[in-house]
Amino acid sequence: MAPHVTTRASVPAVPETGAGARRPRSARSGGHWTAWAFLAPVVVYLVAFYAYPLYRNLDLSLHRYTVRSFVQGGAPFSGLDNYRTVFDAPTFWPALTHTAVFTGASLVFQFSIGMALAIFFHQHFRLSATLRALFLVPWLLPLIVSASTWSWMLNSDSGIVNSALGVFGIGPVNWLTSPDWSLVSVTIANIWIGIPFNLVVLYSGLQAIPSDIYEAAALDGATPWSTFWRVTFPLLRPVSAITLLLGLIYTLKVFDIIWIMTKGGPADGSTTLATWSYRLGFGNLLPSFGPGAAVGNLLIVLAMVFGLLYIRMQRRAPR
């Protein structure tokens, strides 16, 4: 009998499995459309609430818009004239200075007090969780409520702050009606509102530090002060950086607190770039849409500069 010869044609085909197997074209196309379906809401959100407003604001700052042309269109192109108008305005430098002072003072005190409270609550004593929850109240209140409360407290005639100062023989202070004190008043209110955010983020960062490090520092004879500067603060540096960056971006655009308390006055004593932008665009009977948008774009550029600095610092940070 002749031997049985197996040819290649007679071997049944075995389907490929594992990593080397190719999926059918229909499966690959289905996965492609599934990925776009998940991505579409994010793209729509970014375009509708970020890209288009930014484009619209840039368009406003490069054209000479009036109320009529704002509604009907046809505003003439003005180039950088609106930016020149802003830079030449007598309000520009005071507003820029007030913005720097308001932002810098808010960040320093919010971060310092938030750090101190985070370390205090990190001790896990009795009622720690309850007190921590109470400190979140300023953050949870609507800003209009917080600003209105501070306006009442700092009222020159019937405010509780002046009443308390009177107990110590200090005369009343015109917190909201004096150009010398109005910026201080809105800064104090903003610091009070921003402390809980710093407390929450920094407390979360402290929770991530292993307790073994503190035990080793205690065995080496480190004092609480040296432990903070040599252990806690260096390990909290990434958390501190993002906390300060978010606080800076938020504080640059603070408008409602200042507007409710002082409206940027008196005599522009508490006018910042944010309140000036709103006043130019919406605070007058004849709004200046172009200059108002130009001031808003300056705020965006400032925020982007600090954001890029943060990204550069993160790239240079040791891994």
Side-chain angles (χ1 to χ4, degrees):
M1 179 182 292
H4 178 72
V5 179
T6 303
T7 61
R8 181 173 297 181
S10 63
V11 178
V14 179
E16 294 183 5
T17 58
R22 291 186 177 181
R23 291 184 301 169
R25 185 182 299 273
S26 59
R28 293 199 303 270
S29 61
H32 177 77
W33 286 110
T34 301
W36 273 108
F38 280 104
L39 189 61
V42 179
V43 173
V44 172
Y45 175 81
L46 291 176
V47 171
F49 295 100
Y50 285 89
Y52 178 73
L54 287 175
Y55 159 75
R56 185 59 174 158
N57 206 59
L58 182 62
D59 178 73
L60 284 172
S61 67
L62 297 177
H63 290 79
R64 191 175 294 108
Y65 274 95
T66 62
V67 176
R68 182 174 182 177
S69 60
F70 184 82
V71 176
Q72 299 179 354
F77 181 77
S78 60
L80 299 178
D81 288 348
N82 290 321
Y83 291 92
R84 296 190 190 96
T85 300
V86 167
F87 291 138
D88 293 338
T91 309
F92 174 72
W93 288 109
L96 183 62
T97 303
H98 296 160
T99 302
V101 173
F102 177 78
T103 304
S106 296
L107 288 180
V108 169
F109 285 99
Q110 287 174 355
F111 182 81
S112 301
I113 299 174
M115 176 71 79
L117 290 173
I119 295 174
F120 174 72
F121 287 120
H122 190 56
Q123 307 303 317
H124 299 294
F125 55 90
R126 185 178 296 180
L127 297 179
S128 173
T130 303
L131 292 176
R132 222 167 45 239
L134 291 176
F135 269 98
L136 293 179
V137 171
W139 196 21
L140 300 176
L141 286 175
L143 289 176
I144 188 172
V145 175
S146 300
S148 300
T149 302
W150 276 99
S151 296
W152 170 76
M153 292 173 59
L154 296 175
N155 186 276
S156 302
D157 300 323
S158 57
I160 190 173
V161 175
N162 277 346
S163 298
L165 293 177
V167 174
F168 298 96
I170 302 176
V173 178
N174 297 321
W175 296 100
L176 304 177
T177 57
S178 170
D180 299 327
W181 286 99
S182 57
L183 185 62
V184 176
S185 303
V186 296
T187 304
I188 292 173
N190 189 64
I191 291 171
W192 180 79
I193 292 172
I195 288 174
F197 171 76
N198 288 259
L199 167 60
V200 169
V201 178
L202 294 173
Y203 181 81
S204 301
L206 287 174
Q207 294 290 90
I209 299 177
S211 59
D212 298 344
I213 300 179
Y214 290 107
E215 294 174 2
L219 291 175
D220 291 338
T223 63
W225 187 249
S226 62
T227 300
F228 171 76
W229 283 111
R230 296 177 181 270
V231 177
T232 304
F233 193 72
L235 293 177
L236 274 181
R237 190 168 298 165
V239 179
S240 301
I242 191 63
T243 303
L244 289 172
L245 175 65
L246 294 176
L248 184 142
I249 293 175
Y250 170 79
T251 308
L252 278 176
K253 65 182 183 63
V254 166
F255 155 77
D256 31 24
I257 300 170
I258 301 175
W259 193 259
I260 293 170
M261 293 182 65
T262 64
K263 288 186 171 55
D268 291 335
S270 58
T271 295
T272 61
L273 292 177
T275 58
W276 188 33
S277 176
Y278 177 85
R279 190 171 63 193
L280 287 171
F282 304 100
N284 299 312
L285 293 177
L286 295 176
S288 302
F289 294 114
V295 177
N297 286 332
L298 293 178
L299 285 173
I300 295 174
V301 170
L302 287 175
M304 289 180 61
V305 167
F306 286 104
L308 293 174
L309 288 176
Y310 169 77
I311 294 174
R312 186 174 182 181
M313 289 171 55
Q314 288 298 101
R315 289 179 176 176
R316 290 187 173 184
R319 300 295 180 183

